[in-house]
Amino acid sequence: MEAKTLEALLKEERVFSPPEEFVAQANVKDDSLYKEAAEDRLGFWAKQAERIDWFQKWDKVLDWDNPPFAKWFVNGKLNASYNCVDRHVKTWRRNKAAIIWEGEPGDSRVLTYQDLYREVNKFANVLKSLGVKKGDRVTLYLPMIPELPIAMLACARIGAPHSVVFGGFSAESLRDRINDAEAKILITADAGWRRGNVIPLKQNADQALQECPSIEKVIVVERVGEKSGANMVEGRDLWWHDLMKDAPAKCEPEPMDAEDMLYILYTSGTTGKPKGVVHTTGGYLVGVATTHYYIFDIKEEDVYWCTADIGWVTGHSYIVYGPLANGCTTVMYEGSPDYPDRDRFWRIVEKYGVTILYTAPTAIRAFMKWGTEYPGRCDLSTLRLLGTVGEPINPEAWMWYHKYIGRERCPIVDTWWQTETGMILISPLPGVTKTKPGTATIPFPGVEADVVDDNGNPASSGYLVLKSPWPAMLRTIFRDPERFKNQYWSRFEGIYFTGDGAKRDEDGYIWVLGRVDDVINVSGHRIGTMEVESALVDHPSVAEAAVIGKTHELKGQAISAFVTLKEGVEPSEELAAELKAHVAKKIGALARPEDIFFTAELPKTRSGKIMRRLLRDIAEGRALGDTTTLADPSVVQALKEKYEEKS
Ligand code: WTA
């Protein structure tokens, strides 16, 4: 972000107090929760742990004797699926809607807690019958259909960690994630729907499975049918509906230790290889249930809709585990916001009477561009609270959301967190905290976040860090504890480094500015520059590639690639298009570069390191930063001139 806009941001003078009517009914109305947590942080979390049903109570809140390896709720025994399903069917909630699902073509399904209980039990038995045991990993590569949360909860029920791979990832990305997790079973669908098109999930899966020796069986949900183009491999592939027909109705939930693994979720980091973020059971469930309850001000009668895909952490924590642990009604939508028309989200709000909406700044920017007629023609009067997540929200987008969606009645919670944090860590409490457009405001009670300088000292501008453990924190990187230590805990002694840059304003509010490492945030999705670079150099014409995130009006950041070609290969428009397609095929469409710039040389330090920072300066049209460490400063000057000529 440019210095100028940043200054403007920090002088943001629009301050919004929680509306009176909202405060009157809010779960928290004053600063009591903050005070309580400040006086006794662990006591606060111990109290929150009572939201969860434990088969055996824990005997210590936190064991931090061997940092950075935390243990929360030591010796506690519980089961996540029991907490999300069984305990609700024992009450009147049995016939409350657990999941309201809307398919892209217009079909819909409502699963009550009782329905969910039945499906989860049966599918848990299916997994058992295929030999899945506690500790075995199961990979899920599914569209946004009810079978996805059912399968997740069934895995949790028998203690088999799930690894959900976003349906937009390519065959190769799926293969790498299956192999890293050494998954035994893959659950996929014949295909998925997106903007009316068929997404060939099963075909991708078949391609991936050519190199996945650990997979024994593939379970296939029939979503699209004839048009899917899916083939079943005999002896390996089984239809979900066939398996479910005769599955026994009851499956006892496995008593899990608080620290047993609940799931792995892969996310991009600063190397080419995605990291398998490990979340465990007890602390995670306490963390997501507590934050979901307070930040979204959950009431029994709410219809809550988080628009994320379950393939990302937001869906794990705030479509599945948080809402269901709280016995909430959670809406799930399969498709795209502009199908069949650009009012689809608002039609869904109207159709189901959604009261709480949680979405991403990139979506809000698209809605702004499409215009107010789309929300304008729908009844949004049921909405009472709005949320955002995934990237910094620009104040204009915040104001638009406030005015045209919230109709100036609904508080907005801008929530900062990460795949690694598992739960929201910085956010307003909607009945308490005054909001300003563009800031996630202050840490959640019981969370110690700070902004520090290069030496780890508190500063008004620098790096966002977390100074003490929190319940839903990642416990390690799957099978790579060294990487866990180096990645997060080595930059500052005993402190978790988030990878984000941040500022603190005079009210103590934290303004997260975005990543300071080699991670790009495209439409709220994390992509590592190295992953895209590896995909580019995999192409036979490419000698070397450097990838950066360039500020983009709608996507937040867009991927820009600087590419040098091999001897004898000539740059051309066709080749640029081919390289973009190559990246999309290797990683997934989300990683397709926005633009490719061919150059004879890349700016490098004397030790040969590519200076991406300077490439960003070039791409964003800024004056070049410090070039004194370059081996040959004339390279970057020439590159800048050529780039400007071209654009
Ligand atoms: C960014 C998504 C500013 C940040 C839950 C973080 C945000 C990364 C916000 C994590 C926010 C997320 N304001 N930036 N409210 N929320 N980010 O792992 O850079 O997909 O480090 O988790 O998104 O992305 P991830």
Side-chain angles (χ1 to χ4, degrees):
M1 199 175 292
E2 272 182 83
K4 228 165 68 195
T5 37
L6 186 60
E7 284 317 309
L9 266 180
L10 292 169
K11 292 220 179 73
E12 179 60 69
E13 272 159 8
R14 288 169 291 199
V15 177
F16 295 83
S17 295
E20 255 171 54
E21 317 85 86
F22 190 93
V23 178
Q25 58 83 63
N27 288 346
V28 204
K29 302 175 174 30
D30 55 32
D31 60 0
S32 53
L33 215 57
Y34 291 104
K35 279 197 177 141
E36 190 190 319
E39 272 162 30
D40 179 6
R41 200 172 63 84
L42 295 182
F44 168 80
W45 285 117
K47 194 167 154 204
Q48 298 307 325
E50 289 169 20
R51 296 177 184 283
I52 295 305
D53 282 8
W54 301 84
F55 296 146
Q56 180 188 302
K57 202 185 163 191
W58 39 274
D59 35 55
K60 195 175 175 195
V61 182
L62 171 67
D63 173 350
W64 191 233
D65 290 347
N66 179 29
F69 300 96
K71 288 186 182 145
W72 281 85
F73 306 112
V74 181
N75 291 328
K77 301 275 183 278
L78 76 166
N79 183 284
S81 117
Y82 179 92
N83 273 281
C84 290
V85 189
D86 301 42
R87 62 172 176 158
H88 305 310
V89 303
K90 292 180 183 166
T91 71
W92 68 268
R93 280 184 188 145
R94 179 182 308 130
N95 283 318
K96 176 176 177 173
I99 297 174
I100 296 180
W101 174 80
E102 168 104 348
E104 195 188 72
D107 45 346
S108 68
R109 251 178 100 183
V110 178
L111 285 100
T112 62
Y113 274 97
Q114 180 69 25
D115 293 331
L116 189 61
Y117 174 79
R118 184 185 60 241
E119 299 300 304
V120 169
N121 271 270
K122 287 175 75 175
F123 195 65
N125 280 325
V126 166
L127 291 173
K128 272 188 168 173
S129 73
L130 296 176
V132 181
K133 287 192 249 354
K134 183 175 169 181
D136 290 342
R137 275 84 53 209
V138 176
T139 297
L140 281 59
Y141 182 61
L142 284 164
M144 280 287 284
I145 52 177
E147 286 80 359
L148 175 50
I150 291 168
M152 290 163 80
L153 293 168
C155 287
R157 195 167 192 86
I158 63 172
H162 54 72
S163 161
V164 181
V165 177
F166 172 58
F169 276 119
S170 67
E172 286 186 33
S173 297
L174 174 63
R175 174 199 66 194
D176 294 346
R177 285 159 177 75
I178 290 173
N179 289 339
D180 189 81
E182 277 193 79
K184 201 165 173 176
I185 302 272
L186 172 68
I187 305 170
T188 187
D190 58 350
W193 291 114
R194 187 79 192 173
R195 283 204 184 87
N197 299 316
V198 172
I199 307 294
L201 293 175
K202 179 62 167 63
Q203 287 177 20
N204 292 349
D206 285 341
Q207 201 187 326
L209 292 181
Q210 290 174 3
E211 296 166 283
C212 296
S214 62
I215 294 289
E216 294 170 8
K217 291 280 185 256
V218 181
I219 302 175
V220 187
V221 180
E222 187 174 32
R223 170 60 186 138
V224 168
E226 245 167 61
K227 286 188 189 154
S228 72
N231 289 311
M232 297 293 275
V233 174
E234 211 169 306
R236 186 196 71 184
D237 300 352
L238 305 156
W239 286 111
W240 173 291
H241 54 263
D242 285 342
L243 294 166
M244 286 292 265
K245 248 187 294 188
D246 306 314
K250 287 248 161 92
C251 170
E252 275 303 302
E254 187 76 30
M256 303 294 285
D257 188 87
E259 284 302 331
D260 278 337
M261 203 194 309
L262 178 61
Y263 67 81
I264 306 173
L265 183 57
Y266 288 88
T267 188
S268 294
T270 49
T271 72
K273 192 172 171 270
K275 303 176 281 199
V277 167
V278 170
H279 284 293
T280 58
T281 309
Y284 177 78
L285 221 53
V286 171
V288 297
T290 306
T291 48
H292 180 255
Y293 176 78
Y294 286 119
I295 294 168
F296 297 107
D297 191 53
I298 296 302
K299 303 288 180 336
E300 197 64 74
E301 59 275 20
D302 273 314
V303 178
Y304 160 92
W305 182 22
C306 166
T307 70
D309 191 292
I310 294 176
W312 309 109
V313 76
T314 305
H316 281 62
S317 299
Y318 297 106
I319 298 177
V320 182
Y321 289 109
L324 296 177
N326 287 334
C328 182
T329 296
T330 177
V331 176
M332 198 179 152
Y333 170 53
E334 180 183 36
S336 166
D338 56 356
Y339 189 87
D341 203 352
R342 291 170 166 176
D343 61 2
R344 187 63 184 270
F345 272 24
W346 320 121
R347 292 279 171 224
I348 292 173
V349 169
E350 184 176 73
K351 181 171 174 189
Y352 300 111
V354 171
T355 57
I356 302 166
L357 178 71
Y358 189 30
T359 192
T362 186
I364 298 168
R365 289 191 297 265
F367 299 141
M368 275 174 86
K369 196 178 148 209
W370 296 341
T372 53
E373 60 171 294
Y374 299 102
R377 62 189 183 206
C378 298
D379 178 5
L380 306 184
S381 61
T382 51
L383 287 174
R384 64 180 193 90
L385 176 60
L386 305 173
T388 73
V389 60
E391 52 175 317
I393 183 164
N394 40 316
E396 304 73 56
W398 195 102
M399 288 304 297
W400 190 92
Y401 197 32
H402 171 68
K403 195 160 171 196
Y404 296 106
I405 307 306
R407 310 261 158 104
E408 298 180 350
R409 290 180 293 108
C410 307
I412 297 180
V413 287
D414 174 352
T415 64
W416 176 90
W417 58 298
Q418 311 178 299
T419 306
E420 292 87 341
T421 69
M423 64 191 244
I424 298 169
L425 295 185
I426 305 177
S427 166
L429 287 183
V432 184
T433 319
K434 290 185 178 156
T435 55
K436 301 182 199 180
T439 166
T441 73
I442 55 172
F444 187 77
V447 171
E448 295 182 322
D450 204 355
V451 179
V452 299
D453 62 16
D454 276 311
N455 303 316
N457 299 316
S460 59
S461 165
Y463 306 103
L464 180 64
V465 296
L466 301 163
K467 291 193 153 165
S468 57
W470 62 98
M473 67 194 275
L474 81 164
R475 297 304 195 263
T476 188
I477 299 293
F478 189 62
R479 290 186 174 158
D480 202 348
E482 279 310 306
R483 192 170 174 197
F484 170 64
K485 282 201 239 173
N486 294 336
Q487 184 83 45
Y488 306 104
W489 302 92
S490 63
R491 182 80 171 70
F492 305 104
E493 180 71 28
I495 292 179
Y496 174 95
F497 175 45
T498 61
D500 278 324
K503 293 225 171 200
R504 216 187 242 286
D505 71 13
E506 50 218 21
D507 295 322
Y509 281 19
I510 295 173
W511 297 71
V512 178
L513 305 174
R515 307 289 304 198
V516 294
D517 54 9
D518 295 325
V519 172
I520 309 179
N521 191 328
V522 182
S523 303
H525 298 153
R526 269 168 74 166
I527 296 158
T529 51
M530 301 268 276
E531 289 171 71
V532 183
E533 288 166 4
S534 322
L536 283 166
V537 298
D538 175 78
H539 189 280
S541 301
V542 175
E544 201 169 32
V547 162
I548 56 144
K550 172 178 161 182
T551 304
H552 186 275
E553 208 192 329
L554 288 178
K555 299 177 176 178
Q557 286 190 309
I559 300 174
S560 257
F562 291 79
V563 170
T564 65
L565 296 171
K566 285 193 183 145
E567 271 307 306
V569 183
E570 288 302 316
S572 67
E573 289 294 321
E574 293 73 45
L575 182 57
E578 192 179 315
L579 295 182
K580 289 181 192 177
H582 187 70
V583 175
K585 185 174 167 289
K586 297 284 290 183
I587 304 175
L590 72 166
R592 184 193 300 271
E594 183 85 8
D595 47 57
I596 290 196
F597 187 79
F598 294 110
T599 172
E601 275 178 284
L602 289 167
K604 288 183 188 167
T605 60
R606 278 172 220 112
S607 57
K609 202 173 167 251
I610 297 172
M611 298 218 29
R612 294 194 190 83
R613 175 172 60 75
L614 293 174
L615 294 173
R616 265 190 84 173
D617 289 343
I618 292 175
E620 295 180 347
R622 265 191 306 269
L624 291 174
D626 185 7
T627 58
T628 50
T629 55
L630 286 178
D632 178 1
S634 69
V635 167
V636 69
Q637 198 51 49
L639 186 57
K640 185 172 162 65
E641 280 158 24
K642 270 214 214 128
Y643 192 92
E644 280 164 5
E645 216 171 276
K646 201 190 150 217
S647 47

